[in-house]
Structure formats: C-alpha cells, structure tokens
Amino acid sequence: NAGVTQTPKFQVLKTGQSMTLQCAQDMNHNSMYWYRQDPGMGLRLIYYSASEGTTDKGEVPNGYNVSRLNKREFSLRLESAAPSQTSVYFCASSFQRSYEQYFGPGTRLTVT
Amino acid sequence: GQQVMQIPQYQHVQEGEDFTTYCNSSTTLSNIQWYKQRPGGHPVFLIQLVKSGEVKKQKRLTFQFGEAKKNSSLHITATQTTDVGTYFCAGLGFGNEKLTFGTGTRLTIIP
C-alpha cells in the first residue's frame, strides 16, 4: 500500500497563475484533509472532506477550492496564486474524523 | 474558537538528557493526539489519549492527558539522535470533531 500520495512534490508559480494539487489514498479512509504548514504556525486546516461527496471549510480556506473526486482522491486548487500562499501543503486522510490521520509527503509551493 | 498552544517552541538538549513538551487547550477536549515530524518529512501519528488522567508509554516516550482534559504532555527519557524532529499535539473538540494542531515543539539534540 502506498498510503497517501501527493503530486507534485515541488512547484514554483508566478503570482496570478493557477494550479491543482493532487492527493490520493489507498487505505479506504472516509475523511480527507488539506493543511498548510508555515514556519512557527504549525498545521492549519484549509479544507476537509468528512466523507465522499462532502467538503467543508477549515481555518484558512480563502484563495482555495477543493474537489472530492471519489473516495480515494481529494484535490486542492489555487485559482490565482499569491505570494502569501507560499507554503508546504500536506494532504491527510483518516478512517473517520476522530481517528488518527495519515499524511502524505507534502508539496512545497513557492509563489513569486 | 478552539486554540491549542504548545510550549516550548524550541528545545535543545544534550544527548541523554530528558525532554518534555506541554500542550494546553482553550477548551475541553474529546481526545488528544500526538504526532512527530522529522526534518523535511511529514507528520507521523504517535498516539491518542482519550481518558481523563490517562498515561501511556511507548519505550522512552511517556504521554499524559490531564484530569480536566485540557492539557497534555510528552516526556522523552534519555534522548537519542533519532528523537530529533518537531512534536505536535492535536486536540479533538467535543461534538464538532474538529482536530486542532498545536504549533509544535522542535527538538534538536546536541551529540
């Protein structure tokens, strides 16, 4: 089992460009999450999907959109990238919301 | 909203010394989880505590959940270089199932 996979690993964007971060899990988990990690800020929840077909805003959703494509896949889209979105992005999944989370390897995004 | 604070932010210890990080929540928690993130890596789940006053051990790591279920601690005995990384607590709120991560404690070991 691959666990949680993310693509790409690294990305550099210019301000105003758009991109989609992909995430997939093969653990048959119901819940999936997108976090961003900035120095000294810990992990902040952007969006989550408690189950297939549902998505909800987290702590810092502005500037992002998500799609729960099916039970396995949960993508994060930046429509118009801004330098403030420079960060490391982690996707995670869990069996249910109260259970432990399994994280992907992360995407390091730089917006210039 | 629910806030989870962790102290200290950084800790440098000599190899073989003990290490403790503390986690405090602004609200009572349903459970608390601990994660470890190695430099350049991703968070990895360590343990979950559910009961008031619960203490769990994993080899040299001891985890405690406070009686009021608002605070927790992680203690490492006789640190080793493999313990290097950032330790995060994450508190699950009652009813909302919202997991809030603390800001983490970065542990570095001086050989």
Side-chain angles (χ1 to χ4, degrees):
Chain A
N1 288 350
V4 180
T5 57
Q6 288 183 239
T7 55
K9 285 187 168 54
F10 301 93
Q11 184 72 50
V12 179
L13 291 178
K14 293 188 188 307
T15 297
Q17 288 185 319
S18 63
M19 78 161 295
T20 299
L21 281 65
Q22 307 287 353
C23 174
Q25 52 92 9
D26 62 1
M27 295 175 282
N28 201 34
H29 284 168
N30 293 301
S31 302
M32 298 185 73
Y33 314 84
W34 276 106
Y35 292 91
R36 61 177 290 173
Q37 184 174 38
D38 303 294
M41 300 290 287
L43 289 154
R44 292 186 292 169
L45 183 65
I46 305 171
Y47 271 93
Y48 67 94
S49 170
S51 60
E52 185 180 357
T54 68
T55 60
D56 284 290
K57 294 178 180 179
E59 184 184 352
V60 288
N62 290 348
Y64 306 94
N65 285 301
V66 290
S67 295
R68 183 76 183 265
L69 304 169
N70 48 54
K71 191 170 186 178
R72 291 186 63 249
E73 298 172 290
F74 188 38
S75 62
L76 177 73
R77 183 161 178 83
L78 287 69
E79 291 290 351
S80 179
S84 61
Q85 294 178 305
T86 293
S87 187
V88 180
Y89 291 85
F90 288 102
C91 176
S93 71
S94 65
F95 178 63
Q96 291 180 1
R97 286 207 68 196
S98 59
Y99 285 60
E100 67 269 22
Q101 296 185 12
Y102 293 81
F103 285 78
T107 295
R108 192 170 297 272
L109 175 67
T110 302
V111 183
T112 61
Chain B
Q2 182 177 302
Q3 292 186 334
V4 177
M5 305 300 293
Q6 248 183 288
I7 55 170
Q9 191 173 1
Y10 301 96
Q11 186 78 59
H12 311 282
V13 300
Q14 293 274 354
E15 188 175 7
E17 290 183 340
D18 293 356
F19 159 76
T20 304
T21 175
Y22 299 92
C23 182
N24 292 288
S25 170
S26 59
T27 59
T28 304
L29 300 171
S30 173
N31 70 46
I32 195 150
Q33 301 172 11
W34 285 91
Y35 294 78
K36 176 183 178 181
Q37 183 176 22
R38 294 184 186 274
H42 58 275
V44 174
F45 174 78
L46 293 176
I47 208 162
Q48 177 172 281
L49 304 172
V50 179
K51 299 177 184 175
S52 169
E54 188 170 14
V55 178
K56 286 189 175 180
K57 293 190 176 185
Q58 288 180 348
K59 297 183 181 178
R60 294 178 294 103
L61 278 63
T62 302
F63 303 84
Q64 292 189 333
F65 200 9
E67 294 290 340
K69 300 186 77 172
K70 293 183 72 173
N71 61 286
S72 181
S73 64
L74 158 61
H75 180 81
I76 302 178
T77 303
T79 54
Q80 300 175 358
T81 55
T82 54
D83 297 324
V84 164
T86 301
Y87 293 85
F88 292 97
C89 63
L92 189 73
F94 269 107
N96 59 20
E97 292 192 320
K98 177 184 174 184
L99 191 70
T100 301
F101 279 82
T103 48
T105 296
R106 180 181 292 182
L107 172 64
T108 56
I109 307 289
I110 305 165

